[in-house]
Amino acid sequence: MTDFTPPALRDTRDGFLELDERSRLEFLLEFANDLPPLPVHYAEHEDELERVEECQSPVFIIVDVDDDVVTVHATAPLEAPTTRGFASILVHGLTGLASQAVLDCPEDFPLTLGLTKIVSPLRLRGLSGMLWRIKRQVAEKSVTG
Amino acid sequence: MAIPIDNTPKFQAYAHPEVIVSTEWLADHLGAPGLVVVESDEDVLLYEVGHISGAAKIDWHTDLNDAVVRDYINGHGFQALMNRHGISRDDTIVIYGDNKNWWATYALWVFTLFGHPDVRLLDGGREKWIAEGRPVTTDVAPVAEGSYPLVARNDENIRAFRDDVVAHLGKPLIDVRSPEEYSGERTHMPNYPQEGALRGGHIPGALSVPWARAVSEDGTYKSRAELETLYLTDAGLQKGDDIIAYCRIGERSSHSWFALKYLLGFETVRNYDGSWTEWGSLVRAPIAVGAEPGRV
């Protein structure tokens, strides 16, 4: 069966799976430290972003679709490195793709990273929540945009 | 050799001053033989970002839960966990964590299920320690394997199961979730799942006392007098009450359990860890919606 995981996310997955468990946490922390800041417009209009309710911490995302190219923006507090790491994985992995490629990304991507045992399924719901909200926003903005 | 308790006046007013310590006390006693510090966070990466020197990382999700059944680890699992961290039965354990210690108190509650004799909470947790500019490190020193005894988990006194709650209806129940979770408000978004439960609302008769009202901005528990105002004067609890606290999975309610039992001295306080993820999806379980406790 074809794997519709976009190439950048596939690379990320390979990166995690190559490492031992302890190192996977360090790798996630690297992503956390690599979350790009919001562009000025969104930094000044955070009310336009959507809260990811699946996360305990305040995490907000917004998707732009211009000429069928997707850009994902996210913000999460510094004291929530796990959610910053999750957001960063998706920002880097989905930005620049065509709408359909994002919509085709498998829902179970979060469970394929080898993090289930060390991060826990409950925490990974936050990553799942981010992914389905990004996909929903892309679907909405592709139709109207 | 016993590690002395913290004589801070605020603590002396509590019913059990021996189970809570200040950041200053910990800074003075760090490294003492027989003292083990444990970090337990909601965010699994915070320990890696930096932790109190010598602290062991014990994660509620991955270390304290059974891998298959929705339950906590048993005596064998706890023994193995303690041995891995070199913790002895006669060690004084000080637990701290992020976000006002809400997961640290959950870990402390699990340690109490196993009757570890001396477990204390670092008032203010991780954020207070860091806000005060106290040192953290990323070093993890190897630890010699310990020899912890095999102790059976005891759920009798501080843990409530679904049937206990059914039998308890009409007696004091504290719902420590947000007002929106308590009332069962649904969002206007279609297909938005209520977090972890098929229905929204609260257990009939439960009083709403959101967990974070027990702590101040800096994450420390409020004074005895302030806690009495919150739980007795305002919520209507009375001395001698038999109380069950709950939230979503028992994490926030552990935080309130700690306040009710150790700070205010209620003798019978149980945490219902099934909480709303269980009750809110249970066929035919009674539910009250809206801002009032509702009738049983």
Side-chain angles (χ1 to χ4, degrees):
Chain A
M1 199 171 120
T2 318
D3 179 10
F4 287 100
T5 309
L9 288 183
R10 247 185 274 165
D11 286 344
T12 297
R13 173 166 63 212
D14 291 344
F16 276 107
L17 294 179
E18 273 163 15
L19 300 167
D20 63 66
E21 285 187 349
R22 180 80 209 277
S23 306
R24 284 178 201 166
L25 285 186
E26 303 284 347
F27 191 41
L28 184 59
L29 191 51
E30 281 176 36
F31 273 101
N33 294 332
D34 204 27
L35 177 66
L38 290 177
V40 170
H41 170 81
Y42 287 127
E44 290 171 1
H45 297 94
E46 280 200 28
D47 52 298
E48 291 178 22
L49 280 72
E50 174 177 347
R51 175 146 189 181
V52 181
E53 302 284 348
E54 291 78 7
C55 294
Q56 297 280 8
S57 319
V59 180
F60 297 84
I61 56 155
I62 183 100
V63 162
D64 287 328
V65 183
D66 286 313
D67 264 340
D68 199 41
V69 175
V70 172
T71 310
V72 182
H73 304 286
T75 179
L78 284 172
E79 59 272 16
T82 300
T83 44
R84 286 179 67 83
F86 290 162
S88 178
I89 286 172
L90 295 179
V91 164
H92 290 289
L94 297 175
T95 294
L97 296 179
S99 305
Q100 196 57 49
V102 175
L103 295 175
D104 287 343
C105 182
E107 303 282 328
D108 68 353
F109 169 74
L111 301 176
T112 66
L113 298 173
L115 293 176
T116 312
K117 192 159 148 269
I118 48 170
V119 166
S120 89
L122 205 57
R123 290 188 176 110
L124 283 168
R125 284 181 66 211
L127 180 53
S128 299
M130 283 183 217
L131 180 58
W132 82 255
R133 284 167 192 274
I134 287 169
K135 291 173 73 169
R136 206 208 66 243
Q137 283 190 30
V138 167
E140 286 166 1
K141 291 177 184 186
S142 304
V143 167
T144 60
Chain B
M1 183 172 65
I3 307 232
I5 71 169
D6 187 333
N7 286 319
T8 303
K10 181 183 104 164
F11 299 158
Q12 294 307 305
Y14 291 142
H16 291 277
E18 71 278 9
V19 301
I20 188 164
V21 299
S22 61
T23 48
E24 193 179 315
W25 181 97
L26 184 59
D28 287 343
H29 290 84
L30 203 56
L35 175 67
V36 176
V37 181
V38 168
E39 177 162 346
S40 214
D41 298 316
E42 193 264 319
D43 191 303
V44 72
L45 286 184
L46 281 174
Y47 179 87
E48 280 69 20
V49 169
H51 52 268
I52 296 177
S53 180
K57 176 180 177 179
I58 291 186
D59 185 70
W60 177 87
H61 294 260
T62 59
D63 292 322
L64 296 178
N65 273 265
D66 185 278
V68 177
V69 173
R70 186 180 173 186
D71 198 0
Y72 302 101
I73 51 178
N74 61 15
H76 289 282
F78 192 71
Q79 180 186 44
L81 177 67
M82 294 296 98
N83 285 343
R84 206 159 71 233
H85 289 289
I87 298 175
S88 307
R89 187 77 170 166
D90 54 10
D91 279 337
T92 296
I93 298 180
V94 173
I95 306 187
Y96 73 99
D98 62 342
N99 199 352
K100 304 175 167 55
N101 277 329
W102 66 330
W103 285 89
T105 46
Y106 205 179
L108 189 150
W109 177 79
V110 177
F111 272 70
T112 308
L113 290 176
F114 290 97
H116 189 91
D118 189 357
V119 191
R120 312 183 194 180
L121 187 73
L122 178 65
D123 202 23
R126 185 189 164 86
E127 276 134 11
K128 184 162 199 280
W129 182 272
I130 289 172
E132 290 170 347
R134 300 184 188 273
V136 290
T137 177
T138 53
D139 291 343
V140 182
V143 167
E145 168 121 353
S147 59
Y148 202 88
L150 180 63
V151 179
R153 202 183 68 222
N154 178 6
D155 295 334
E156 283 301 307
N157 303 322
I158 61 172
R159 186 178 184 191
F161 295 98
R162 179 204 65 210
D163 291 344
D164 298 321
V165 177
V166 172
H168 193 83
L169 290 175
K171 293 204 266 182
L173 271 169
I174 302 286
D175 184 322
V176 314
R177 299 173 299 159
S178 68
E180 295 74 29
E181 290 170 281
Y182 177 84
S183 71
E185 265 176 54
R186 292 176 183 276
T187 72
H188 60 281
M189 278 172 62
N191 301 321
Y192 175 70
Q194 290 296 313
E195 194 192 10
L198 292 170
R199 293 287 189 271
H202 55 271
I203 301 178
L207 305 168
S208 171
V209 187
W211 70 281
R213 294 209 190 142
V215 288
S216 304
E217 261 312 298
D218 68 351
T220 57
Y221 275 105
K222 290 179 176 166
S223 70
R224 176 90 187 239
E226 288 168 318
L227 290 174
E228 283 179 352
T229 301
L230 175 65
Y231 288 108
L232 299 167
T233 315
D234 293 347
L237 289 176
Q238 291 171 8
K239 194 165 174 318
D241 271 347
D242 173 358
I243 303 166
I244 293 180
Y246 74 94
C247 56
R248 186 179 58 93
I249 57 170
E251 83 284 23
R252 289 166 282 173
S253 44
S254 295
H255 188 276
S256 302
W257 162 84
F258 185 88
L260 290 165
K261 183 172 173 64
Y262 291 116
L263 309 185
L264 290 180
F266 282 96
E267 286 190 21
T268 314
V269 190
R270 288 174 289 171
N271 188 21
Y272 169 37
D273 57 279
S275 271
W276 197 255
T277 53
E278 180 177 66
W279 195 273
S281 293
L282 199 52
V283 174
R284 290 174 51 159
I287 291 177
V289 294
E292 294 304 310
R295 282 178 30 223
V296 170

